[in-house]
């Protein structure tokens, strides 16, 4: 696989405490400008996003494609998958605020799958997801809970 690069741009006006910014995926045009403020990171989002929310979306998107690929590899292509990711940022003594956890909750509709093969595909999906690997190497706890639906 060739080297992959993607770009996003952040802009900000005003002080961090009272200012506001936007996040844009300029290379793809897939989103943006998305509003972001300090309050959307540490208080109520009020319709604005945060880097942590975007990380949750990125991890969910990474895991869902990894899981779909692994299930297809074991002969159990999913009919539908839903993945929710919750990123947790907390104060770490001597390090300030850090991403300390990422919790994946998924539901997969698959009609026929050997239970052992299904469980193995879930483990392989987590191991093969670059965002799971990145977060684990950074010291964050990554948990994965996948519920199988269907036959």
């Amino acid at each position: 696989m060739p080297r992959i690069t993607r770009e996003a741009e952040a802009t900000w006006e005003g002080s961090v405490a009272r200012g506001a910014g936007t996040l844009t995926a300029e290379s793809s045009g897939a989103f943006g400008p998305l509003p972001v403020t300090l309050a959307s990171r540490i208080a109520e989002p009020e319709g604005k996003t945060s880097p942590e929310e975007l990380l949750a979306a990125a991890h969910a998107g990474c895991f869902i494609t990894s899981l779909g690929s692994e299930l297809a590899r074991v002969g159990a292509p999913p009919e539908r998958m839903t993945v929710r990711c919750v990123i947790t940022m907390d104060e770490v003594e001597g390090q300030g605020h850090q991403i300390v956890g990422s919790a994946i909750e998924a539901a997969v509709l698959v009609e026929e799958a050997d239970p052992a093969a299904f469980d193995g595909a879930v483990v392989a999906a987590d191991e093969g997801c670059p965002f799971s690997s990145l977060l684990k190497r950074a010291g964050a706890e990554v948990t994965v809970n996948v519920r199988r639906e269907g036959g």
Side-chain angles (χ1 to χ4, degrees):
M1 181 184 319
R3 182 178 212 154
I4 299 168
T5 61
R6 297 294 183 263
E7 297 177 31
E9 183 174 283
T11 61
W12 195 272
E13 292 187 23
S15 70
V16 172
R18 299 199 193 289
T22 58
L23 303 171
T24 306
E26 291 201 0
S27 58
S28 70
F31 68 82
L34 298 176
V36 63
T37 63
L38 180 61
S40 68
R41 292 189 80 185
I42 63 174
E44 292 302 315
E46 297 179 351
K48 298 171 182 73
T49 194
S50 68
E52 294 75 26
E53 182 176 53
L54 295 172
L55 177 58
H59 193 190
C62 182
F63 184 80
I64 204 168
T65 57
S66 184
L67 181 58
S69 296
E70 291 298 334
L71 287 170
R73 189 181 60 72
V74 298
E79 293 181 38
R80 183 184 67 242
M81 299 182 291
T82 304
V83 174
R84 180 172 191 262
C85 178
V86 177
I87 292 291
T88 302
M89 181 169 62
D90 203 357
E91 183 80 24
V92 175
E93 188 173 329
Q95 298 179 39
H97 283 90
Q98 300 290 314
I99 302 297
V100 297
S102 184
I104 295 280
E105 293 284 332
V108 178
L109 176 61
V110 59
E111 287 305 317
E112 296 190 26
D114 173 73
F118 183 88
D119 292 345
V122 169
V123 170
D126 182 42
E127 291 172 352
C129 171
F131 280 83
S132 290
S133 297
L134 175 70
L135 289 162
K136 289 174 186 176
R137 281 194 313 271
E141 178 184 13
V142 175
T143 60
V144 174
N145 181 22
V146 179
R147 182 180 74 249
R148 179 179 168 193
E149 299 174 340

